[in-house]
Amino acid sequence: MGVLNVTPDSFSDGGLHLDPRRAIQHGLSMIDQGADLVDVGGESTRPGSDPVSAQEEWSRVGAVIEALSRKVDAPISVDTRKPEVAEKALGAGASVVNDTSGLRDARMIHVAAESRAGVIIMHMKGEPKTMQRSPEYSDVVAEVRAFLEGQVRAAVEGRVRPASIAIDPGIGFGKTLEHNLALLRNLGVVATLGHPVVVGVSRKSFLAQLGAGESSDGRLAGSLAAASLAVAQGAHIVRAHDVLETARAMRVVDALLRTGE
Ligand code: HH2
């Protein structure tokens, strides 16, 4: 799943693809490099970020989603917490809603059900602005699993088809280093919910805490290590900025995991 942030302020690629032509070009090149899905976002949810209006978000992503869906066969997801943005994106050709707030707004369930879209339900504790201020859990793995289970149930009750739901523990979203590591080591527990598991570790700051690179674009090696082990632990989809390298690494991981079957 290639990351395409059409934002001025994303933590890693902010400002690089604000011009729609550059964003579309980057989306196309990620497909060429091996992405099976392109995730287009118009609002940064990095720690400390401020929300943007639905109007502003749509003005960033609308033309990009419309053009990419016309030009490529691969599915396009919209990374949004807002039902109004999701609805427009699905109308413009996106087929998956990637909701980092995990369908907390029930209108999002309605939008997904009506359009028969795929849905990624991600766990986030709190809001981006404050989520990294001393997050606490008594058992992070059990709590994240329980949240995802409840939101999957709500989605299914709202007539989203179970087969179109994926889940994501939300690495770095209201979590300390220890919480992130516990979740990555126990993805199998999350996977017992029976839905495909998405994991986003790419260039994230917990890698710097592990000594894997201070600047975000210097964290490729750490990102590949974390993504590889995540897949070995049961993840099905990895969200990545460095698509060429990630796709190559995942081909090897897939082959190694098949050995002995
Ligand atoms: N991480 C980010 C954004 N969206 N979606 C899912 N499902 N899982 C993730 O881990 C995830 C996500 C944050 O990364 P990025 O989009 O690169 O940064 P920003 O929020 O600053 O735009």
Side-chain angles (χ1 to χ4, degrees):
M1 179 183 197
V3 178
L4 181 52
N5 285 319
V6 194
T7 61
D9 57 343
S10 288
F11 81 94
S12 180
D13 57 352
L16 287 182
H17 314 115
L18 247 190
D19 170 28
R21 277 166 312 178
R22 290 183 73 162
I24 293 161
Q25 199 46 48
H26 187 57
L28 295 175
S29 73
M30 288 195 292
I31 301 277
D32 282 347
Q33 292 177 343
D36 295 317
L37 173 71
V38 174
D39 189 38
V40 185
E43 178 189 54
S44 172
T45 48
R46 74 186 187 289
S49 59
D50 287 311
V52 299
S53 69
Q55 206 184 2
E56 172 66 23
E57 201 180 319
W58 179 247
S59 76
R60 294 176 183 174
V61 299
V64 177
I65 290 174
E66 200 268 323
L68 282 179
S69 342
R70 221 172 351 95
K71 287 174 192 273
V72 299
D73 290 333
I76 307 296
S77 59
V78 58
D79 184 344
T80 187
R81 301 183 285 164
K82 300 187 187 73
E84 8 346 6
V85 174
E87 189 168 23
K88 284 186 176 165
L90 296 168
S95 54
V96 178
V97 178
N98 174 26
D99 182 359
T100 58
S101 65
L103 305 180
R104 278 185 239 167
D105 184 333
R107 289 176 304 158
M108 193 66 110
I109 296 177
H110 182 69
V111 168
E114 285 292 300
S115 62
R116 298 175 72 77
V119 181
I120 299 170
I121 303 176
M122 197 197 82
H123 175 273
M124 169 178 356
K125 191 175 179 83
E127 298 295 324
K129 185 85 186 158
T130 52
M131 66 190 177
Q132 288 307 106
R133 293 186 195 155
S134 317
E136 281 181 30
Y137 301 82
S138 53
D139 179 340
V140 66
V141 177
E143 287 173 47
V144 167
R145 186 187 184 282
F147 170 84
L148 294 173
E149 185 175 32
Q151 296 307 90
V152 167
R153 193 180 315 120
V156 172
E157 281 169 8
R159 308 185 71 82
V160 176
R161 287 168 303 155
S164 62
I165 300 174
I167 51 178
D168 184 332
I171 298 302
F173 285 87
K175 282 128 191 149
T176 63
L177 173 62
E178 289 310 322
H179 297 143
N180 290 324
L181 294 179
L183 286 165
L184 287 170
R185 288 180 186 129
N186 292 285
L187 282 177
V189 175
V190 174
T192 59
L193 290 173
H195 293 272
V197 176
V198 181
V199 170
V201 289
S202 183
R203 301 184 182 180
K204 285 191 175 168
S205 63
F206 79 98
L207 299 168
Q209 292 177 273
L210 295 171
E214 277 309 311
S215 72
S216 70
D217 55 2
R219 297 176 191 152
L220 175 60
S223 303
L224 296 178
S228 300
L229 286 175
V231 172
Q233 297 288 327
H236 303 83
I237 299 173
V238 294
R239 189 176 177 277
H241 299 85
D242 303 286
V243 169
L244 181 75
E245 294 83 353
T246 306
R248 286 179 178 169
M250 293 308 116
R251 277 180 211 124
V252 176
V253 169
D254 277 349
L256 291 172
L257 290 176
R258 271 199 305 272
T259 307
E261 264 182 9

